[in-house]
Amino acid sequence: MHRTQIYFEETLFEELKKQANLMGMSLSAYIRETLKNDLKNKKSKQNRVNLKEFSGMWENRDISQESLRKKAWK
């Protein structure tokens, strides 16, 4: 494990200690777990496809079942 030193504002530090106590964890274990979860969430969001890019791509096109069948059977 790597050791590092981090400076926290007093109010944030108190809130972190409170949350760690509520979860029955040491402060350092709580911070590690919180950071792991945050990184995991960010990683899963990066892997998602942004479907907004495709919004409107079929606009003004005839994609009815009938027209698709006509094109398919040519």
Coordinates of all heavy atoms in Angstrom, one line a residue:
M1 N 0.8 -1.2 0.0 CA 0.0 0.0 0.0 C 0.9 1.2 0.0 O 2.0 1.2 0.6 CB -0.9 0.0 1.2 CG -2.3 0.5 1.0 SD -3.3 0.5 2.4 CE -4.2 -1.0 2.3
H2 N 0.4 2.3 -0.6 CA 1.1 3.5 -0.7 C 0.6 4.5 0.4 O -0.6 4.6 0.6 CB 0.9 4.2 -2.1 CG 1.7 5.4 -2.3 ND1 3.0 5.5 -2.6 CD2 1.3 6.7 -2.2 CE1 3.4 6.7 -2.7 NE2 2.4 7.5 -2.4
R3 N 1.5 5.2 1.0 CA 1.1 6.1 2.0 C 1.2 7.5 1.5 O 2.1 7.9 0.8 CB 2.0 6.0 3.2 CG 1.6 6.9 4.4 CD 2.5 6.6 5.6 NE 2.1 7.3 6.7 CZ 2.6 8.4 7.1 NH1 3.7 8.9 6.5 NH2 2.2 9.1 8.2
T4 N 0.1 8.4 1.7 CA 0.2 9.7 1.3 C -0.4 10.6 2.3 O -1.1 10.2 3.3 CB -0.6 9.9 -0.1 OG1 -0.4 11.2 -0.6 CG2 -2.1 9.7 0.1
Q5 N -0.2 11.9 2.2 CA -0.8 12.9 3.1 C -1.7 13.8 2.4 O -1.4 14.3 1.3 CB 0.4 13.7 3.8 CG -0.1 14.6 4.9 CD 1.1 15.2 5.6 OE1 2.3 15.0 5.3 NE2 0.8 16.1 6.6
I6 N -2.9 14.0 3.0 CA -3.9 14.8 2.3 C -4.4 15.9 3.3 O -4.6 15.5 4.5 CB -5.1 14.0 1.8 CG1 -4.7 12.9 0.9 CG2 -6.2 14.9 1.2 CD1 -5.8 11.9 0.5
Y7 N -4.6 17.1 2.9 CA -5.1 18.1 3.7 C -6.6 18.3 3.4 O -7.0 18.4 2.3 CB -4.4 19.5 3.5 CG -3.0 19.4 3.9 CD1 -2.0 19.1 2.9 CD2 -2.6 19.6 5.2 CE1 -0.6 19.1 3.3 CE2 -1.2 19.5 5.6 CZ -0.3 19.2 4.6 OH 1.0 19.2 5.0
F8 N -7.4 18.3 4.5 CA -8.9 18.5 4.3 C -9.3 19.7 5.1 O -8.7 20.1 6.1 CB -9.7 17.3 5.0 CG -9.5 16.0 4.2 CD1 -8.8 15.0 4.8 CD2 -10.1 15.8 3.0 CE1 -8.6 13.8 4.1 CE2 -9.9 14.6 2.3 CZ -9.2 13.6 2.9
E9 N -10.3 20.4 4.5 CA -10.9 21.5 5.3 C -11.6 20.9 6.5 O -12.0 19.7 6.5 CB -12.0 22.2 4.4 CG -11.5 22.9 3.2 CD -12.6 23.2 2.2 OE1 -13.7 22.9 2.5 OE2 -12.2 23.9 1.2
E10 N -11.6 21.6 7.6 CA -12.1 21.1 8.9 C -13.5 20.5 8.8 O -13.8 19.4 9.3 CB -12.1 22.2 9.9 CG -12.1 21.6 11.3 CD -11.0 20.7 11.7 OE1 -9.8 21.0 11.3 OE2 -11.2 19.7 12.4
T11 N -14.4 21.2 8.1 CA -15.8 20.7 8.0 C -15.9 19.4 7.2 O -16.6 18.5 7.6 CB -16.7 21.8 7.3 OG1 -16.2 22.1 6.1 CG2 -16.9 23.0 8.2
L12 N -15.1 19.3 6.1 CA -15.1 18.0 5.4 C -14.5 16.9 6.2 O -15.0 15.8 6.2 CB -14.3 18.2 4.1 CG -14.1 17.0 3.2 CD1 -15.4 16.4 2.7 CD2 -13.2 17.3 2.0
F13 N -13.4 17.2 6.9 CA -12.8 16.2 7.7 C -13.8 15.6 8.8 O -13.9 14.4 9.0 CB -11.5 16.8 8.4 CG -10.8 15.8 9.2 CD1 -10.1 14.7 8.6 CD2 -10.8 15.9 10.6 CE1 -9.4 13.8 9.4 CE2 -10.1 14.9 11.4 CZ -9.4 13.9 10.7
E14 N -14.5 16.5 9.4 CA -15.5 16.1 10.4 C -16.6 15.3 9.8 O -17.0 14.3 10.4 CB -16.1 17.3 11.1 CG -15.1 18.1 12.0 CD -14.5 17.2 13.1 OE1 -15.2 16.4 13.7 OE2 -13.3 17.4 13.4
E15 N -17.0 15.6 8.6 CA -18.1 14.9 8.0 C -17.6 13.5 7.6 O -18.3 12.5 7.7 CB -18.5 15.6 6.7 CG -19.8 15.1 6.1 CD -21.0 15.2 7.1 OE1 -21.1 16.2 7.8 OE2 -21.9 14.3 7.0
L16 N -16.3 13.4 7.1 CA -15.7 12.1 6.8 C -15.6 11.2 8.0 O -15.9 10.0 7.9 CB -14.3 12.3 6.2 CG -14.3 12.9 4.8 CD1 -12.8 13.3 4.4 CD2 -14.8 11.9 3.8
K17 N -15.2 11.8 9.1 CA -15.1 11.0 10.4 C -16.4 10.5 10.8 O -16.6 9.3 11.2 CB -14.5 11.8 11.5 CG -13.0 12.0 11.3 CD -12.3 12.5 12.6 CE -13.0 13.7 13.3 NZ -12.2 14.2 14.4
K18 N -17.5 11.3 10.7 CA -18.8 11.0 11.1 C -19.3 9.8 10.2 O -19.9 8.8 10.7 CB -19.7 12.2 10.9 CG -20.9 12.2 11.8 CD -21.8 13.4 11.5 CE -21.1 14.7 11.9 NZ -22.0 15.9 11.7
Q19 N -19.1 9.9 8.9 CA -19.6 8.8 8.0 C -18.8 7.5 8.2 O -19.4 6.4 8.2 CB -19.4 9.3 6.5 CG -20.3 10.3 6.1 CD -21.8 9.9 6.2 OE1 -22.1 8.8 5.8 NE2 -22.6 10.7 6.7
A20 N -17.5 7.6 8.5 CA -16.7 6.4 8.8 C -17.2 5.7 10.0 O -17.4 4.5 10.1 CB -15.2 6.8 8.9
N21 N -17.5 6.5 11.1 CA -18.0 6.0 12.3 C -19.4 5.3 12.1 O -19.6 4.2 12.6 CB -18.1 7.0 13.4 CG -16.8 7.4 14.0 OD1 -15.9 6.5 14.0 ND2 -16.7 8.6 14.5
L22 N -20.2 5.9 11.3 CA -21.6 5.3 11.0 C -21.5 4.0 10.3 O -22.3 3.1 10.5 CB -22.4 6.3 10.2 CG -23.0 7.5 10.9 CD1 -23.6 8.5 9.9 CD2 -24.0 7.1 11.9
M23 N -20.4 3.8 9.5 CA -20.3 2.6 8.8 C -19.4 1.6 9.5 O -19.1 0.5 9.0 CB -19.7 2.9 7.4 CG -20.7 3.8 6.6 SD -20.1 4.0 4.9 CE -20.5 2.4 4.2
G24 N -18.9 2.0 10.7 CA -18.0 1.1 11.5 C -16.7 0.9 10.8 O -16.1 -0.2 10.9
M25 N -16.1 1.9 10.1 CA -14.9 1.8 9.4 C -13.9 2.8 10.0 O -14.3 3.8 10.5 CB -15.1 2.0 7.9 CG -16.1 1.2 7.3 SD -16.4 1.8 5.6 CE -15.1 1.0 4.7
S26 N -12.6 2.5 9.8 CA -11.6 3.6 10.1 C -11.7 4.6 9.0 O -12.3 4.4 7.9 CB -10.2 3.0 10.0 OG -9.9 2.6 8.7
L27 N -11.2 5.8 9.3 CA -11.3 6.9 8.4 C -10.6 6.6 7.1 O -11.1 6.8 6.0 CB -10.7 8.2 9.1 CG -10.7 9.4 8.2 CD1 -12.1 9.8 7.8 CD2 -10.0 10.6 8.9
S28 N -9.4 6.0 7.2 CA -8.6 5.7 6.0 C -9.4 4.6 5.1 O -9.4 4.7 3.9 CB -7.2 5.3 6.3 OG -7.2 4.2 7.2
A29 N -10.0 3.6 5.8 CA -10.7 2.6 5.0 C -11.9 3.2 4.3 O -12.2 2.9 3.2 CB -11.1 1.5 6.0
Y30 N -12.6 4.1 5.0 CA -13.7 4.8 4.5 C -13.3 5.6 3.2 O -14.0 5.6 2.2 CB -14.4 5.7 5.5 CG -15.6 6.5 4.9 CD1 -16.8 5.9 4.6 CD2 -15.4 7.8 4.7 CE1 -17.8 6.6 4.0 CE2 -16.5 8.6 4.1 CZ -17.7 7.9 3.8 OH -18.7 8.6 3.2
I31 N -12.3 6.4 3.3 CA -11.8 7.2 2.2 C -11.4 6.3 1.0 O -11.8 6.6 -0.1 CB -10.6 8.1 2.7 CG1 -11.1 9.2 3.6 CG2 -10.0 8.8 1.5 CD1 -10.0 10.0 4.3
R32 N -10.7 5.2 1.3 CA -10.3 4.3 0.2 C -11.5 3.7 -0.5 O -11.6 3.7 -1.7 CB -9.4 3.1 0.8 CG -8.0 3.5 1.0 CD -7.1 2.3 1.2 NE -7.6 1.5 2.4 CZ -7.1 1.7 3.7 NH1 -6.2 2.7 3.9 NH2 -7.5 1.0 4.7
E33 N -12.5 3.3 0.3 CA -13.7 2.7 -0.3 C -14.5 3.7 -1.1 O -15.0 3.4 -2.2 CB -14.6 2.1 0.9 CG -15.7 1.2 0.4 CD -15.2 0.0 -0.3 OE1 -14.2 -0.5 0.0 OE2 -16.0 -0.5 -1.1
T34 N -14.6 4.9 -0.6 CA -15.3 5.9 -1.3 C -14.6 6.3 -2.6 O -15.3 6.4 -3.6 CB -15.4 7.2 -0.4 OG1 -16.1 6.9 0.8 CG2 -16.2 8.3 -1.1
L35 N -13.3 6.4 -2.6 CA -12.6 6.6 -3.8 C -12.7 5.5 -4.8 O -12.9 5.7 -6.0 CB -11.1 7.0 -3.5 CG -10.9 8.3 -2.8 CD1 -9.4 8.4 -2.4 CD2 -11.3 9.4 -3.7
K36 N -12.6 4.3 -4.4 CA -12.8 3.1 -5.2 C -14.2 3.1 -5.9 O -14.3 2.9 -7.1 CB -12.7 1.8 -4.5 CG -11.3 1.4 -4.1 CD -11.3 0.0 -3.4 CE -10.0 -0.2 -2.6 NZ -10.1 -1.4 -1.8
N37 N -15.2 3.4 -5.1 CA -16.6 3.4 -5.7 C -16.7 4.6 -6.7 O -17.3 4.4 -7.8 CB -17.6 3.6 -4.6 CG -17.8 2.3 -3.8 OD1 -17.5 1.2 -4.2 ND2 -18.2 2.5 -2.5
D38 N -16.1 5.7 -6.4 CA -16.2 6.8 -7.3 C -15.5 6.5 -8.7 O -16.0 6.8 -9.7 CB -15.6 8.1 -6.7 CG -15.7 9.3 -7.6 OD1 -16.8 9.7 -7.9 OD2 -14.6 9.8 -8.0
L39 N -14.3 5.9 -8.6 CA -13.6 5.5 -9.8 C -14.4 4.5 -10.6 O -14.4 4.5 -11.8 CB -12.2 5.0 -9.5 CG -11.2 6.1 -9.0 CD1 -9.9 5.5 -8.5 CD2 -11.0 7.1 -10.0
K40 N -15.0 3.5 -9.9 CA -15.7 2.5 -10.6 C -16.9 3.1 -11.3 O -17.2 2.7 -12.5 CB -16.2 1.4 -9.6 CG -16.9 0.2 -10.2 CD -17.6 -0.7 -9.3 CE -16.9 -1.0 -8.0 NZ -17.6 -2.0 -7.1
N41 N -17.6 4.0 -10.7 CA -18.8 4.7 -11.3 C -18.3 5.5 -12.5 O -19.0 5.4 -13.6 CB -19.5 5.6 -10.3 CG -20.2 4.8 -9.3 OD1 -20.6 3.6 -9.5 ND2 -20.5 5.5 -8.1
K42 N -17.2 6.1 -12.4 CA -16.7 6.9 -13.6 C -16.3 6.0 -14.7 O -16.6 6.3 -15.9 CB -15.6 7.8 -13.1 CG -16.0 9.0 -12.3 CD -14.9 9.9 -12.0 CE -15.5 11.2 -11.4 NZ -14.9 11.7 -10.3
K43 N -15.7 4.9 -14.4 CA -15.3 4.0 -15.4 C -16.5 3.4 -16.2 O -16.5 3.3 -17.4 CB -14.5 2.8 -14.8 CG -13.8 2.0 -15.8 CD -12.9 0.9 -15.1 CE -11.5 1.2 -15.4 NZ -10.6 0.1 -14.8
S44 N -17.6 3.0 -15.4 CA -18.7 2.4 -16.1 C -19.5 3.5 -16.9 O -20.0 3.2 -17.9 CB -19.7 1.8 -15.0 OG -20.3 2.8 -14.3
K45 N -19.4 4.8 -16.5 CA -20.1 5.8 -17.3 C -19.3 6.0 -18.6 O -19.9 6.4 -19.6 CB -20.1 7.1 -16.5 CG -21.2 7.1 -15.5 CD -21.3 8.4 -14.7 CE -22.3 8.3 -13.6 NZ -22.3 9.6 -12.8
Q46 N -18.0 5.9 -18.6 CA -17.2 6.0 -19.8 C -17.5 5.0 -20.8 O -17.4 5.2 -22.0 CB -15.7 6.0 -19.4 CG -15.2 7.2 -18.7 CD -13.8 7.0 -18.2 OE1 -13.2 6.0 -18.3 NE2 -13.2 8.1 -17.7
N47 N -17.9 3.8 -20.4 CA -18.1 2.7 -21.3 C -19.5 2.7 -21.9 O -19.8 2.0 -22.8 CB -17.9 1.3 -20.6 CG -16.5 1.1 -20.2 OD1 -15.6 1.6 -20.8 ND2 -16.3 0.3 -19.2
R48 N -20.4 3.6 -21.4 CA -21.7 3.7 -22.0 C -21.7 4.5 -23.3 O -20.9 5.4 -23.5 CB -22.6 4.5 -21.0 CG -22.9 3.7 -19.8 CD -23.8 4.5 -18.9 NE -23.9 3.8 -17.6 CZ -24.4 4.4 -16.5 NH1 -24.8 5.6 -16.5 NH2 -24.4 3.7 -15.4
V49 N -22.6 4.1 -24.2 CA -22.7 4.8 -25.5 C -23.6 5.9 -25.3 O -24.7 5.8 -24.8 CB -23.2 3.8 -26.6 CG1 -23.4 4.5 -27.9 CG2 -22.2 2.6 -26.7
N50 N -23.3 7.1 -25.8 CA -24.1 8.2 -25.8 C -25.1 8.2 -27.0 O -24.7 8.5 -28.1 CB -23.3 9.5 -25.8 CG -24.1 10.7 -25.6 OD1 -25.4 10.7 -25.5 ND2 -23.5 11.9 -25.6
L51 N -26.3 7.8 -26.7 CA -27.3 7.7 -27.8 C -27.8 9.0 -28.3 O -28.4 9.0 -29.4 CB -28.4 6.8 -27.4 CG -28.0 5.3 -27.0 CD1 -29.3 4.6 -26.5 CD2 -27.4 4.6 -28.2
K52 N -27.5 10.1 -27.7 CA -27.9 11.4 -28.1 C -27.2 11.7 -29.5 O -27.8 12.5 -30.2 CB -27.5 12.5 -27.1 CG -28.4 12.4 -25.8 CD -28.0 13.5 -24.9 CE -28.9 13.3 -23.6 NZ -28.6 14.3 -22.6
E53 N -26.1 11.1 -29.7 CA -25.4 11.4 -31.0 C -26.3 10.9 -32.2 O -26.2 11.4 -33.3 CB -24.1 10.6 -31.1 CG -23.1 11.0 -30.1 CD -21.9 10.0 -30.1 OE1 -21.6 9.4 -31.2 OE2 -21.2 9.9 -29.1
F54 N -27.1 9.9 -31.9 CA -27.9 9.3 -33.0 C -29.3 9.9 -33.1 O -30.1 9.5 -34.0 CB -28.0 7.8 -32.8 CG -26.7 7.1 -32.7 CD1 -26.1 6.7 -31.5 CD2 -26.0 6.9 -33.9 CE1 -24.9 6.1 -31.5 CE2 -24.7 6.3 -33.9 CZ -24.2 5.9 -32.7
S55 N -29.6 10.8 -32.2 CA -30.9 11.5 -32.2 C -31.2 12.1 -33.5 O -30.4 12.9 -34.0 CB -31.0 12.5 -31.1 OG -32.2 13.2 -31.1
G56 N -32.3 11.8 -34.2 CA -32.7 12.4 -35.4 C -32.1 11.8 -36.6 O -32.3 12.3 -37.7
M57 N -31.3 10.8 -36.5 CA -30.6 10.2 -37.7 C -31.6 9.6 -38.7 O -31.3 9.5 -39.9 CB -29.5 9.3 -37.3 CG -29.9 7.8 -37.1 SD -28.5 6.9 -36.5 CE -28.1 6.0 -37.9
W58 N -32.8 9.2 -38.3 CA -33.8 8.7 -39.2 C -34.9 9.7 -39.6 O -35.8 9.4 -40.3 CB -34.4 7.4 -38.6 CG -33.4 6.3 -38.4 CD1 -32.9 6.0 -37.2 CD2 -32.8 5.5 -39.4 NE1 -32.0 5.0 -37.4 CE2 -31.9 4.7 -38.7 CE3 -32.9 5.5 -40.8 CZ2 -31.1 3.7 -39.4 CZ3 -32.1 4.5 -41.4 CH2 -31.3 3.7 -40.8
E59 N -34.7 10.9 -39.1 CA -35.7 12.0 -39.4 C -35.7 12.2 -40.9 O -34.8 12.1 -41.6 CB -35.2 13.3 -38.7 CG -36.3 14.3 -38.7 CD -35.8 15.5 -37.9 OE1 -34.8 15.4 -37.2 OE2 -36.5 16.6 -38.0
N60 N -37.0 12.4 -41.4 CA -37.3 12.6 -42.8 C -36.9 11.4 -43.7 O -36.6 11.6 -44.9 CB -36.5 13.9 -43.3 CG -37.0 15.1 -42.6 OD1 -38.1 15.3 -42.2 ND2 -36.0 16.0 -42.3
R61 N -36.8 10.2 -43.2 CA -36.6 9.1 -44.0 C -37.8 8.1 -43.8 O -38.4 8.0 -42.8 CB -35.4 8.3 -43.5 CG -34.1 9.1 -43.7 CD -32.9 8.2 -43.4 NE -31.7 9.0 -43.5 CZ -30.5 8.4 -43.4 NH1 -30.4 7.1 -43.2 NH2 -29.4 9.2 -43.5
D62 N -38.1 7.5 -44.9 CA -39.3 6.5 -44.9 C -38.8 5.2 -44.4 O -38.1 4.5 -45.1 CB -39.9 6.4 -46.3 CG -41.1 5.5 -46.3 OD1 -41.6 5.2 -45.2 OD2 -41.6 5.2 -47.4
I63 N -39.0 4.9 -43.2 CA -38.6 3.6 -42.6 C -39.8 2.8 -42.2 O -39.7 2.0 -41.3 CB -37.6 3.9 -41.4 CG1 -38.3 4.7 -40.3 CG2 -36.3 4.4 -41.8 CD1 -37.6 4.7 -39.0
S64 N -40.9 3.0 -42.9 CA -42.0 2.1 -42.6 C -41.7 0.7 -43.0 O -40.8 0.4 -43.8 CB -43.3 2.6 -43.4 OG -43.0 2.5 -44.8
Q65 N -42.5 -0.2 -42.5 CA -42.3 -1.6 -42.8 C -42.4 -1.9 -44.3 O -41.6 -2.6 -44.9 CB -43.3 -2.5 -42.0 CG -43.0 -3.9 -42.0 CD -44.0 -4.7 -41.1 OE1 -45.1 -4.2 -40.8 NE2 -43.6 -5.9 -40.7
E66 N -43.4 -1.3 -44.9 CA -43.6 -1.5 -46.3 C -42.4 -1.0 -47.2 O -42.0 -1.7 -48.0 CB -44.9 -0.7 -46.7 CG -45.3 -0.9 -48.2 CD -46.5 -0.2 -48.5 OE1 -47.5 -0.2 -47.7 OE2 -46.6 0.5 -49.6
S67 N -41.9 0.2 -46.9 CA -40.8 0.7 -47.7 C -39.5 -0.2 -47.4 O -38.7 -0.4 -48.4 CB -40.5 2.2 -47.3 OG -39.9 2.3 -46.1
L68 N -39.3 -0.6 -46.2 CA -38.1 -1.5 -46.0 C -38.2 -2.8 -46.7 O -37.3 -3.3 -47.2 CB -38.0 -1.7 -44.4 CG -37.6 -0.5 -43.6 CD1 -37.6 -0.8 -42.1 CD2 -36.3 0.1 -44.0
R69 N -39.5 -3.4 -46.8 CA -39.7 -4.6 -47.5 C -39.4 -4.4 -49.0 O -38.8 -5.3 -49.6 CB -41.1 -5.1 -47.3 CG -41.3 -5.8 -45.9 CD -42.6 -6.4 -45.8 NE -42.7 -7.1 -44.6 CZ -43.8 -7.4 -43.9 NH1 -45.0 -7.0 -44.4 NH2 -43.8 -8.0 -42.8
K70 N -39.9 -3.3 -49.5 CA -39.7 -3.0 -51.0 C -38.2 -3.0 -51.3 O -37.7 -3.6 -52.2 CB -40.3 -1.7 -51.4 CG -41.8 -1.8 -51.6 CD -42.3 -0.4 -52.0 CE -43.8 -0.4 -52.0 NZ -44.4 0.9 -52.3
K71 N -37.4 -2.3 -50.4 CA -36.0 -2.2 -50.6 C -35.3 -3.5 -50.4 O -34.3 -3.8 -51.1 CB -35.4 -1.1 -49.7 CG -35.8 0.3 -50.0 CD -35.2 1.2 -49.0 CE -35.7 2.6 -49.3 NZ -35.3 3.6 -48.3
A72 N -35.7 -4.3 -49.5 CA -35.1 -5.6 -49.2 C -35.3 -6.6 -50.3 O -34.4 -7.5 -50.6 CB -35.6 -6.1 -47.9
W73 N -36.4 -6.5 -51.0 CA -36.8 -7.5 -52.0 C -36.5 -7.1 -53.4 O -36.9 -7.7 -54.4 CB -38.2 -8.0 -51.9 CG -38.5 -8.6 -50.6 CD1 -39.2 -8.1 -49.6 CD2 -38.0 -9.9 -50.1 NE1 -39.2 -9.0 -48.5 CE2 -38.5 -10.1 -48.8 CE3 -37.2 -10.9 -50.7 CZ2 -38.2 -11.2 -48.1 CZ3 -36.9 -12.0 -49.9 CH2 -37.4 -12.2 -48.6
K74 N -35.7 -6.1 -53.6 CA -35.3 -5.6 -54.9 C -34.3 -6.5 -55.6 O -33.5 -7.1 -55.0 CB -34.8 -4.2 -54.9 CG -35.8 -3.1 -54.9 CD -35.2 -1.8 -55.0 CE -36.3 -0.7 -55.2 NZ -35.8 0.6 -55.5

